[in-house]
Amino acid sequence: MTMSLPEEDLTCPVCCDIFTDPVLLSCSHSFCRSCLKRCWDTGLRECPVCRKRASKSSPPCNLALKNVCEALLQVRRQSSVLGEEMINCNLHGEKLKLYCLVDKQPICVVCQSSKLHKIHDCAPIEEAMLDCKDELALSLKSLQDKMNHLRTIQKASADMFEFIKSQALETQRLIKSQFEQLHQVLYQEESDRLAAVKKDEEEKISGMKKKIKELSAEVLSLIQTISVVQEQLKEDDMVLMKNFKDTQDRCKSTDPGSDDMSGLLIDVTKHLCNLKYAVWEKMLAHIDFTPVTLDPNTAHPCLILSENLTSFHYSKQPSYCPDNPERFHISAEVVAMTALGSGSHQWVVETGSNQDWLLGVVSLSVPRNAELSARPENGFWTLCSRDGEFRAMTSPPITLTLSRPPKQIKVQLDYNKGTVSFFDPAENTLIYAFIHTFTEPLLPYFYTQSSHPLRIMPEKVLVTMLHQ
């Protein structure tokens, strides 16, 4: 309550000090009881402030004001005691003039002579205070640096949170797009096969209609012949004998129709035999298999990857992506998603008109936020094209002489044998081969600063049936 009123509102207008036993006049002014008595002892019984005459009765005590003033005085007394305790030794009552550098606390001269601090190094309190302020200032700066670092991480985390959501939406969109393509292939195959059954049905029905028509004509002809024979049997003997030859010839000319009914039904087996396998085998023509898939979480912001993660090119306008540890931050590099730690692997990269690239493999542990030369001692085994020259990135690099610039480069890794080989697949000629004993998994590696794309070529899928 004392903090809600300024101190001048708690001061007597007569003695200019905090009220002591304040009384309240009818004019609403308050005074110390003793101060008001001294004023009235001069002769006039009026308010010392507004000069309004006061009643002859004794003015009442202003209890509310009295309580506030007593609380303020109590606070002042406590502050005074605390101040004394802060500058004086609690044990000896002497002023704190020294600072113990061992125990990190202020002491008096008596404390310095005691057993507790006798062998400790001490400094004057003023000198130690400057050192403490300097040390706290350094600690404050360190804390502020930590706070700034945490805020940076916090912002990066918030950005990554939003990026993850956009990643999920984009990945779902691409999955739906690819499944829609597969669905379209299935729907078209279904439509073609249903149309084939319909066509087969129409052909078989047309053949049956023709067959039925022929049989109907034969039946009608036979009915007429039977009728003629029956009429002849009713004629006189001589008439019968005269017409016998014609009647007999007519009977012989009525040959029975063919009763061969084979091949008239729909060949259901042709339409249903291994249907799912046949459709799946046909779908292979619409499906690409790429032995190496790029990892977008490692791509430098200036590299633009295709939707199927098999090609990329350089852009001067970097795209937004989080500053995650897996990403290359210094140069325009990207690696594949699968680490290769054994066996033999190969992939073909279409370079086309791109003349600024590095291709090969890189160690899994290569740092992503440092600029390193692409050398085997740094974990790189690569082939380089720059300014119309081809170099094997050894230490130092070796300039290669090629009969013609290849449009494709085949990279072949045999991890167990310790070889990384580069071929021109058009002529199946070896360009260069590294030999090294690998001690950790490798990642397919790519670099470019060209707007012309590099593309990992798909491979054909072969289906082999195993007969048991």
Side-chain angles (χ1 to χ4, degrees):
M1 183 176 181
T2 58
M3 299 302 294
S4 63
L5 292 175
E7 190 169 315
E8 55 266 24
D9 291 343
L10 305 178
T11 303
C12 174
V14 177
C15 65
C16 296
D17 203 350
I18 301 299
F19 286 110
T20 302
D21 191 15
V23 294
L24 180 65
L25 299 182
S26 59
C27 60
S28 299
H29 290 119
S30 296
F31 305 91
C32 296
R33 187 180 296 276
S34 58
C35 294
L36 184 62
K37 184 177 182 303
R38 285 198 304 271
C39 292
W40 284 359
D41 285 346
T42 59
L44 295 177
R45 194 178 178 85
E46 61 184 15
C47 175
V49 176
C50 64
R51 300 302 179 183
K52 183 178 179 180
R53 292 188 64 83
S55 63
K56 293 183 180 181
S57 60
S58 179
C61 178
N62 192 338
L63 290 177
L65 185 59
K66 181 180 179 181
N67 293 335
V68 173
C69 292
E70 288 179 352
L72 177 61
L73 292 173
Q74 179 67 21
V75 170
R76 283 186 174 182
R77 286 192 293 271
Q78 290 176 353
S79 299
S80 177
V81 172
L82 289 175
E84 289 292 326
E85 291 178 353
M86 290 295 293
I87 64 174
N88 292 333
C89 177
N90 293 333
L91 296 176
H92 309 106
E94 297 290 332
K95 191 173 182 180
L96 300 172
K97 294 183 177 182
L98 300 172
Y99 186 77
C100 178
L101 299 177
V102 177
D103 294 331
K104 303 292 184 183
Q105 64 181 20
I107 61 175
C108 68
V109 292
V110 179
C111 291
Q112 185 186 22
S113 303
S114 66
K115 292 182 179 180
L116 189 61
H117 300 282
K118 189 173 184 179
I119 62 174
H120 292 173
D121 291 334
C122 298
I125 194 76
E126 295 81 6
E127 180 183 329
M129 179 182 64
L130 295 177
D131 292 340
C132 289
K133 285 185 176 180
D134 291 342
E135 189 173 341
L136 285 177
L138 291 175
S139 298
L140 177 62
K141 186 179 183 306
S142 176
L143 291 173
Q144 289 173 337
D145 291 342
K146 288 181 180 179
M147 176 62 73
N148 293 334
H149 180 64
L150 286 175
R151 284 176 176 169
T152 301
I153 296 176
Q154 188 178 34
K155 183 181 183 305
S157 299
D159 294 342
M160 192 172 293
F161 177 81
E162 295 299 326
F163 188 79
I164 289 171
K165 293 198 293 186
S166 65
Q167 257 190 326
L169 291 175
E170 179 64 11
T171 304
Q172 290 171 350
R173 183 189 69 80
L174 294 175
I175 290 174
K176 288 182 179 180
S177 174
Q178 295 201 25
F179 268 95
E180 284 175 1
Q181 295 175 14
L182 294 175
H183 293 161
Q184 188 60 39
V185 173
L186 286 173
Y187 291 148
Q188 186 61 48
E189 185 66 19
E190 177 189 19
S191 177
D192 292 345
R193 289 181 174 272
L194 292 175
V197 175
K198 185 67 176 176
K199 181 181 179 181
D200 203 357
E201 177 194 18
E202 291 174 352
E203 290 176 353
K204 298 300 182 181
I205 289 178
S206 176
M208 284 304 303
K209 286 181 177 179
K210 183 179 179 181
K211 183 74 173 177
I212 292 172
K213 185 177 180 180
E214 292 175 353
L215 290 174
S216 298
E218 290 180 2
V219 169
L220 180 60
S221 175
L222 189 58
I223 290 173
Q224 291 175 352
T225 301
I226 292 173
S227 177
V228 169
V229 172
Q230 289 175 342
E231 289 296 326
Q232 287 297 316
L233 290 173
K234 293 178 182 178
E235 294 290 343
D236 293 338
D237 293 343
M238 189 54 67
V239 173
L240 184 147
M241 294 299 293
K242 288 181 177 182
N243 295 329
F244 175 76
K245 185 176 182 303
D246 293 336
T247 303
Q248 191 68 9
D249 290 342
R250 183 167 182 171
C251 290
K252 290 179 180 180
S253 66
T254 306
D255 294 328
S258 174
D259 58 355
D260 184 11
M261 304 294 285
S262 62
L264 297 179
L265 297 179
I266 293 176
D267 189 355
V268 176
T269 303
K270 179 183 71 174
H271 297 289
L272 295 181
C273 178
N274 293 318
L275 175 61
K276 293 179 181 178
Y277 174 82
V279 173
W280 172 76
E281 191 176 34
K282 196 169 183 179
M283 285 185 69
L284 292 178
H286 303 273
I287 298 173
D288 291 333
F289 172 77
T290 308
V292 169
T293 303
L294 302 174
D295 185 354
N297 293 337
T298 68
H300 186 274
C302 287
L303 292 183
I304 309 300
L305 275 60
S306 63
E307 290 187 347
N308 61 359
L309 306 178
T310 60
S311 69
F312 66 99
H313 66 276
Y314 182 84
S315 172
K316 293 182 179 180
Q317 297 296 328
S319 58
Y320 169 75
C321 51
D323 191 18
N324 53 300
E326 300 86 358
R327 192 174 306 280
F328 287 95
H329 304 289
I330 306 301
S331 59
E333 303 164 278
V334 64
V335 293
M337 61 178 294
T338 304
L340 310 175
S342 63
S344 180
H345 311 270
Q346 67 177 31
W347 56 95
V348 177
V349 181
E350 184 180 63
T351 57
S353 54
N354 188 325
Q355 297 182 356
D356 183 8
W357 48 259
L358 273 81
L359 302 174
V361 294
V362 66
S363 295
L364 183 64
S365 62
V366 164
R368 312 294 170 88
N369 58 353
E371 186 172 3
L372 297 173
S373 299
R375 304 285 192 272
E377 63 267 23
N378 294 329
F380 292 80
W381 295 269
T382 59
L383 190 70
C384 174
S385 170
R386 184 163 293 165
D387 302 326
E389 290 186 354
F390 292 88
R391 293 188 290 272
M393 300 305 289
T394 55
S395 298
I398 298 174
T399 301
L400 304 173
T401 302
L402 305 180
S403 59
R404 62 174 185 83
K407 296 298 182 182
Q408 294 182 344
I409 299 293
K410 180 168 74 172
V411 184
Q412 185 170 304
L413 166 67
D414 193 320
Y415 189 94
N416 298 335
K417 291 183 179 179
T419 60
V420 181
S421 306
F422 299 89
F423 295 86
D424 181 353
E427 299 179 355
N428 198 27
T429 55
L430 177 66
I431 299 175
Y432 190 82
F434 290 89
I435 299 177
H436 186 84
T437 301
F438 303 117
T439 58
E440 63 175 293
L442 304 176
L443 291 168
Y445 170 84
F446 309 86
Y447 162 91
T448 188
Q449 278 195 326
S450 171
S451 59
H452 299 287
L454 295 176
R455 186 166 74 99
I456 303 165
M457 301 299 293
E459 295 184 353
K460 290 184 178 180
V461 179
L462 301 178
V463 179
T464 302
M465 298 299 298
L466 298 177
H467 297 282
Q468 296 183 357

